[in-house]
Amino acid sequence: MNAEHTPTTPDIKAALRRSYDANADEREEKGLIAFRAPMRRDFVERLHAESKTELLEIGAGAGHEAEFFVDSGLSVIAIDISSENIARCREKGIDAEVGDFYDLAFPDDRFDAVWAASCLVHVPDRDLDLVLAEIS
């Protein structure tokens, strides 16, 4: 990370964490988001076609999509900023940990692919290049 650039403040991250923790039960009840079904299917088909198996899901929520990917034959590690969401992922048997896209605690080239649906909306424009570089 560039020392001259300070990413999203800890206060904003803390507010996001509190919000997602407070709504974890609601997110659990929602299940898979229906409109993403074709995207999930196409994504898995492409990974299988390319013999890719190692997936990082960023912003995993309650783990419904991670569970779908595991059931589709992928090896998944899920991260989310919310410890409550991570608890729900783990209840599903998902390898999951608290984390965020500013500082991914994995070696470079650890994963074949990344799934990050809807979580990047929380990245301020000024931080987007930084976050995308971290993910890549």
Side-chain angles (χ1 to χ4, degrees), residues 2-47:
N2 181 341
E4 296 176 13
H5 178 80
T6 304
T8 299
T9 66
D11 291 343
I12 293 171
K13 286 185 183 184
L16 280 172
R17 190 174 293 111
R18 282 190 305 273
S19 175
Y20 279 103
D21 281 348
N23 294 304
D25 288 336
E26 179 183 326
R27 297 177 75 72
E28 175 65 43
E29 291 173 14
K30 284 185 179 179
L32 281 171
I33 297 172
F35 79 84
R36 288 190 192 147
M39 291 180 278
R40 284 189 299 268
R41 184 189 63 248
D42 292 348
F43 185 68
V44 168
E45 287 175 4
R46 182 171 188 160
L47 292 178

Side-chain angles (χ1 to χ4, degrees), residues 11-119:
D11 291 343
I12 293 171
K13 286 185 183 184
L16 280 172
R17 190 174 293 111
R18 282 190 305 273
S19 175
Y20 279 103
D21 281 348
N23 294 304
D25 288 336
E26 179 183 326
R27 297 177 75 72
E28 175 65 43
E29 291 173 14
K30 284 185 179 179
L32 281 171
I33 297 172
F35 79 84
R36 288 190 192 147
M39 291 180 278
R40 284 189 299 268
R41 184 189 63 248
D42 292 348
F43 185 68
V44 168
E45 287 175 4
R46 182 171 188 160
L47 292 178
H48 286 311
E50 296 178 11
S51 299
K52 307 293 184 186
T53 60
E54 300 293 323
L55 176 66
L56 173 64
E57 182 180 0
I58 300 173
H64 297 294
E65 289 185 327
E67 185 175 44
F68 171 85
F69 294 130
V70 168
D71 291 346
S72 298
L74 300 174
S75 174
V76 178
I77 295 179
I79 66 166
D80 196 276
I81 198 167
S82 163
S83 60
E84 292 294 326
N85 280 334
I86 292 303
R88 281 146 185 86
C89 289
R90 290 177 178 162
E91 289 169 2
K92 294 174 181 66
I94 305 299
D95 185 358
E97 56 190 72
V98 174
D100 70 64
F101 37 59
Y102 281 94
D103 187 24
L104 297 171
F106 303 101
D108 291 348
D109 300 325
R110 162 68 177 82
F111 300 98
D112 297 320
V114 174
W115 179 263
S118 300
C119 66

